Each structure stands twice: as C-alpha cells, then as structure tokens.
Amino acid sequence: MQPEKPTQLANRALARGLEVVRVLDQQGGLRLADLMRSSNLPKTTLRRLLAVLIEHGFVRRSLGDGRYRSNISWSQLPSTSAGLNTVVFLDAACDVLRELTDEVQWPSDILVRDGTRMRVVESTRALSPLFVTPGRLEVGVDMLRSAAGPAYLAHCKTAERNTVLSAYDLTVDERRKLDDRLAVIRRRGYALRDPDYWGDSVANDRLRAIAKAVCSKETVLGVVNLVWPVGMITETAFADRYAGMLGDAVKLIEQRYEKMVQGDEEVSQSSKHHPRG
C-alpha cells in the first residue's frame, strides 16, 4: 500500500475539518465526546482539527459550558458578514469579561439580537467563584422585560427598533411607557430587568441583572451584563458599585473590536493591491 502524498493528506484534512464545522453547525454546541461520535473521528485527530479551526476563527470553544460551536452557518456561506461580526465581537469581548469577572467576582453574559429576542452567546458564569444559576448558552431572552433587550433597543437605530417592536402589538400607552424607559436607559447608561422578570433559561433564575450595549459607530453589536442573586444587594447599590466597571469593560470591548475590524480591512485591502500569483 503506497503512502499518501502530501496533497492527498491535505485534502483529507480539509474534508475532515469541513465535516467538523458542518456537524457543529447542524447540532449546535457539542462536547468533545459528542463530537467524536457525530464525526466518527478519533480523539487525537479531532483535537488537532479543532485547534486549527479555532485558530482560524471557524470554531470557538465557549467559556460558559466548554462546548464547541461553529462560527459560520453552513447553509449561508455566501453571506457570512453578520456571523463574522459576531465572531469578532466575541473575540473582542471574552478576554475583557473574563478579567471583569476576576475583578468583581460576579459573572457576565454576552447577548446578541436574534430576530425579536436576545440570545445568550457566551457567559462567564462557570468562571465566577460566586454561586449564580448556571443558565444556558443559545437560549432566547425576552426583548422587553430583560435588562439586555431594552439596553439594545435604547441604542439601536430608530428603524431597527421599530421593526423589532412591530412584532409585539403594543398599545399606544405601552409604547409610550417603553419609550420613556429607553430614554432613562440612554440617560443613565445601563438597563435593569423588569421587577417581575426571572429569566428564560430556567423557570425562575432568581437573578437580577444590569446591562449595557456594545456599539460600533451607529451599530449595536450586542449587550453585556452583570448578574447577581436577588436579595444579595439592591439594584441601586449594585449599580453604584459596578456600573462604572461594566462601562469601562464595554469601552475596552468597543476599542478592541474597532482594532480587529480595522486589521481585517487592512489585510483585505492589502490582498487587493498585492494579488497572489
């Protein structure tokens, strides 16, 4: 039996890598053992492929649950700009929020808009030394009663806000009250949960949250929060103590994001002016 040529080895590695991305895209977050069963690849090979895929941004390993997730949509490869922005947002945010959790002890979630709801895409709850309800990644979060949803709505463009809210059949009075709430959020810089909202990931997470929008120019990239158990400290006291730290983290994420995007643009422009071949 003749040994495989380098080209054949490269093609086989490429095919295996693409299969890993496809499985992760179709099945969502998977642990290594689950991914081994779904891909039929040995652990050593899979670890090597995952390291390469993570290095090049096609796959990520979540802080919140340690599962591997695809950064691209297999069914929407021709149009990946939104997905790639989310990847850059996560790259910019994760280290900053890890450091924030080390400093304040309380954990953070990262959320992005998914249609008319917010979606949790990352969390440092597993890294916090303090006990909070674990929650789940990829879960949808109420747009109107959470802290994250109003934080997003308060800073997105008017047209985008109106499009989202058109799905909610609000009365004139309800819309007026919401607009007043969003104005307060813009003025003070952060949003709080509605008093009667107790999360979506479990029946009652018994958490309170403070959330701030992360923006790039006129676009809201997503929202980051800090969460803590109800009864431990009042919302006012928590905001007095930690809102400034959360705000500093948001500014750092925005700066890191802009540098990453600028770097991607410079590489893209360079490749146009200096084509290969």
Side-chain angles (χ1 to χ4, degrees):
M1 187 175 178
Q2 301 240 349
E4 290 184 289
K5 297 179 180 180
T7 301
Q8 292 173 317
L9 291 172
N11 288 343
R12 185 154 62 97
L14 175 60
R16 286 175 167 178
L18 291 173
E19 175 64 10
V20 170
V21 175
R22 185 189 66 80
V23 169
L24 289 175
D25 178 51
Q26 290 183 345
Q27 300 188 29
L30 293 177
R31 295 185 175 90
L32 184 64
D34 300 323
L35 187 52
M36 285 173 58
R37 285 190 291 270
S38 297
S39 64
N40 294 315
L41 292 173
K43 181 185 290 187
T44 302
T45 299
L46 192 52
R47 285 187 182 278
R48 185 170 63 249
L49 288 171
L50 286 169
V52 174
L53 292 169
I54 289 172
E55 179 183 358
H56 290 277
F58 294 103
V59 169
R60 70 182 185 276
R61 189 176 188 187
S62 298
L63 297 174
D65 56 14
R67 293 172 181 255
Y68 296 94
R69 289 178 166 84
S70 173
N71 283 334
I72 64 173
S73 173
W74 192 266
S75 61
Q76 297 178 359
L77 286 177
S79 178
T80 58
S81 58
L84 290 175
N85 283 340
T86 300
V87 173
V88 176
F89 175 38
L90 287 172
D91 284 346
C94 282
D95 286 344
V96 175
L97 294 185
R98 186 189 288 111
E99 293 174 1
L100 179 64
T101 297
D102 287 343
E103 181 179 4
V104 306
Q105 306 292 282
W106 298 114
S108 293
D109 301 321
I110 305 175
L111 304 97
V112 298
R113 183 169 76 84
D114 185 3
T116 59
R117 291 169 67 80
M118 301 297 291
R119 178 166 54 89
V120 181
V121 293
E122 190 53 278
S123 175
T124 65
R125 296 192 195 193
L127 307 180
S128 172
L130 305 175
F131 176 77
V132 296
T133 306
R136 299 196 313 272
L137 298 188
E138 305 302 333
V139 70
V141 173
D142 190 282
M143 181 64 80
L144 302 184
R145 297 187 298 146
S146 66
Y152 187 99
L153 291 172
H155 293 90
C156 69
K157 293 180 180 179
T158 301
E160 181 182 2
R161 180 164 56 250
N162 289 337
T163 297
V164 173
L165 294 179
S166 65
Y168 282 91
D169 194 28
L170 299 175
T171 67
V172 173
D173 187 55
E174 288 171 337
R175 178 61 191 265
R176 180 185 59 79
K177 290 180 179 179
L178 176 61
D179 288 339
D180 289 344
R181 181 185 178 191
L182 299 183
V184 171
I185 293 169
R186 283 190 287 269
R187 185 165 61 250
R188 71 185 178 194
Y190 61 85
L192 299 168
R193 281 184 170 188
D194 270 2
D196 63 344
Y197 178 70
W198 297 103
D200 288 284
S201 60
V202 295
N204 185 344
D205 63 13
R206 295 193 59 77
L207 295 177
R208 297 289 86 188
I210 178 174
K212 291 182 70 71
V214 182
C215 302
S216 173
K217 300 181 174 62
E218 296 182 358
T219 300
V220 181
L221 303 172
V223 174
V224 297
N225 67 15
L226 282 170
V227 298
W228 73 97
V230 64
M232 292 286 292
I233 183 174
T234 66
E235 290 179 325
T236 300
F238 192 95
D240 288 343
R241 187 175 302 178
Y242 298 115
M245 296 180 184
L246 182 61
D248 291 341
V250 166
K251 290 178 183 178
L252 183 54
I253 293 169
E254 291 172 342
Q255 292 168 2
R256 285 168 56 91
Y257 179 87
E258 293 299 334
K259 288 181 179 179
M260 290 177 178
V261 171
Q262 183 64 34
D264 287 345
E265 290 177 351
E266 289 175 356
V267 170
S268 176
Q269 290 299 321
S270 176
S271 65
K272 289 180 181 178
H273 292 303
H274 302 284
R276 296 181 180 178

